[in-house]
Amino acid sequence: MRLTYTSDVWWKNAVVYCLDVETFKDGNGDGVGDFRGLTQQIDYLAGLGVTCLWLMPFFPTPNKDDGYDITDFYSIDPRLGTLGDFVEFMRTAHDRGLRVIADLVVNHTSDQHPWFKESRSSKNSPLRDWYVWSDKPEPDDPSKVVFPDKEDSLWEWDNRSKQYYLHSFYKHQPDLNVANPEVRDEITRVLGFWMELGLSGFRVDAVPFLIENVDPKLPDPHEFLQDMRAFMTRRKGGSILLGEVNVPYPELVKYFGDGLGDQVTMCFDFISMQKAWLSLARQDAGPLADALRERPKPPKDGQWAMFLRNHDELTLDKLTDEERQEVFDAFGPEKDMQIFGRGLRRRLPTMLGGDLRHVKMAYSLLFSLPGTPVIFYGEEIGMGENLAEEGRLAVRVPMQWTPDGGFSQADPVREMPEGSFAPDRVNVADQKRDTASLLRWFQLLIERYRECPELAWGTYTVLDAGHHAVFAHRCDADGASVVVVHNLCDTAVDAELKLPGLEGHQLTDLLVDGTLDVSDDATVKLPLGPHGCRWLRASPPQIAPEDAGVMSQ
């Protein structure tokens, strides 16, 4: 593997940082984050080491669903700035070497979108078929209602035009009819518009709903994803589609484009994420190890996107009822911490009780798992949630820059956490000056991850470590090997690994000083402290560790 490959296929070992412009930094003192504020913090993001920013929706919106109800796909919400502010932000991000992707929310629009207003004006409207209308709604399947706390049906009666319209999510978000070629053409225009302004791709919201939940049914639903990907490749060869596809592995592979890799470039690994939380709850590596052993291999240039926490609820929908309850009991036992009966509305540090050693181990695990790590803003300093906010807004709190908040000169529109996760306890300014802080740990993890392309590019093997609480895996690429070991329990343990092919090699710890020798029978024993973690690069006796990596050969 040549170093140039990591530029051509940059997403395979990127570090993706998801942020909401509205809650990141206020640049004009009105209490709402904006693009001017975000641009002021570009050097912070570049210094953290992230390589790609993922922006949550920033389009004009009535804001009934935190920006996911869009009224104009070609503009910026006035609260967040102007197209000029956006262009200045993109220019600055590119100057610092950062790529930018944005949420593509085209399963639905707001019911205030001009398209829907025209569509509902008359059954003879030229845009009538841009949405899904029916005289008689199909029978509802309760399991398909995404927000059971707010909705009890997928269909809503429209008094104005005397028909029902389909809404997979909230009733104020009518579904677009992607079966209509005019709608598909308009979506590609949206893609092209923002790519011309510098975007490197899109995170596609709710992909199965976009192509499967369409009436009339598309003859080949995946053909639309192929067309989108082909259009983007023609416009910009290195552009990507990052898909939110929360389905079982056998079904998920289709979204990559089977073996061709001509649809979604990267897919979030919801299965491994949920199994990781079950492993953390049990202090048992088994569930995560099983998930990774079962996970199919993506197409050659495809990739898995790995995460432990994102901007939505921490969904646990793929666990059994009993497994989900185990995670609830461990990390969100109070009803107010849970949401939709299937997830948690807490951030990782609070779920782990603020135990810095435990939190550091969890993020070390994330960055070492085979795939591309995706982190949510504020994770790098250990921000908490505000359960006083409604629903999923609990985790979308203002970024904490200084002990007094630092988000805005005015009172933030959203409240910050209180108590041990308040800004005076958790903020960027303090952690920059603390070499033992979580922020500095993140910088180290990102630096080591970028130095170890084997983790993202290589072939991984889940190892038996001789202890149920130890998750160990090995990544190999072009004769180079990295071994990573994590202790999921709160007591010290000893692990023993078999590493065939590495007989007589030395293992150099990449996170702290230290080396271990692999015996002639390919065995290595290593101690792990409570919630301990080790990243180890293998090198033959005659080669220095820094020369043993895949990029050094």
Side-chain angles (χ1 to χ4, degrees), residues 254-456:
K254 296 185 297 183
Y255 290 86
F256 280 117
D258 293 317
L260 298 176
D262 59 354
Q263 296 181 37
V264 175
T265 320
M266 295 200 294
C267 286
F268 285 104
D269 188 353
F270 280 89
I271 306 298
S272 288
M273 178 275 289
Q274 297 183 44
K275 293 296 187 180
W277 281 105
L278 183 59
S279 282
L280 290 169
R282 292 179 175 177
Q283 300 189 24
D284 183 346
L288 175 59
D290 290 343
L292 288 174
R293 288 188 178 111
E294 295 168 3
R295 188 175 76 173
K297 188 176 181 180
K300 181 176 181 292
D301 289 337
Q303 182 61 301
W304 292 103
M306 308 303 295
F307 67 108
L308 287 177
R309 193 67 184 86
N310 64 7
H311 63 295
D312 284 331
E313 77 275 11
L314 175 61
T315 184
L316 303 168
D317 65 316
K318 296 298 182 289
L319 301 182
T320 66
D321 291 344
E322 293 76 15
E323 291 171 340
R324 188 180 307 112
Q325 191 59 49
E326 287 184 65
V327 180
F328 282 170
D329 291 343
F331 302 123
E334 299 176 20
K335 281 296 181 182
D336 191 36
M337 299 172 176
Q338 302 164 19
I339 186 170
F340 306 140
R342 62 172 185 255
L344 293 166
R345 58 190 205 106
R346 308 190 73 195
R347 280 178 171 252
L348 183 148
T350 57
M351 287 190 281
L352 300 186
D355 181 343
L356 187 58
R357 182 170 53 186
H358 200 174
V359 171
K360 285 184 173 181
M361 182 277 293
Y363 285 121
S364 170
L365 178 66
L366 168 63
F367 276 95
S368 67
L369 289 173
T372 296
V374 180
I375 56 178
F376 189 38
Y377 77 94
E379 287 196 278
E380 72 274 18
I381 58 171
M383 277 173 45
E385 71 278 349
N386 180 7
L387 293 176
E389 293 282 356
E390 183 180 3
R392 296 178 296 178
L393 295 181
V395 301
R396 302 175 187 176
V397 291
M399 183 68 177
Q400 297 169 192
W401 295 102
T402 61
D404 62 355
F407 167 75
S408 175
Q409 295 178 357
D411 291 333
V413 173
R414 296 184 193 169
E415 298 288 338
M416 293 186 175
E418 298 179 348
S420 57
F421 290 91
D424 63 337
R425 304 287 294 275
V426 177
N427 65 79
V428 172
D430 288 346
Q431 293 195 25
K432 277 186 173 181
R433 295 189 290 268
D434 181 359
T435 58
S437 69
L438 183 59
L439 177 62
R440 294 304 186 192
W441 179 248
F442 260 79
Q443 290 176 315
L444 176 64
L445 290 175
I446 292 173
E447 181 179 307
R448 295 295 181 264
Y449 168 78
R450 295 287 287 173
E451 291 172 354
C452 297
E454 299 92 337
L455 295 174

Side-chain angles (χ1 to χ4, degrees), residues 1-2 4-6 8-13 229 253 256-266 296-304 372 456-459 478:
M1 188 180 93
R2 296 196 303 270
T4 52
Y5 288 178
T6 62
D8 294 340
V9 195
W10 60 268
W11 54 87
K12 292 200 73 168
N13 67 327
R229 178 75 178 276
V253 174
F256 280 117
D258 293 317
L260 298 176
D262 59 354
Q263 296 181 37
V264 175
T265 320
M266 295 200 294
K297 188 176 181 180
K300 181 176 181 292
D301 289 337
Q303 182 61 301
W304 292 103
T372 296
W457 285 78
T459 300
D478 294 348

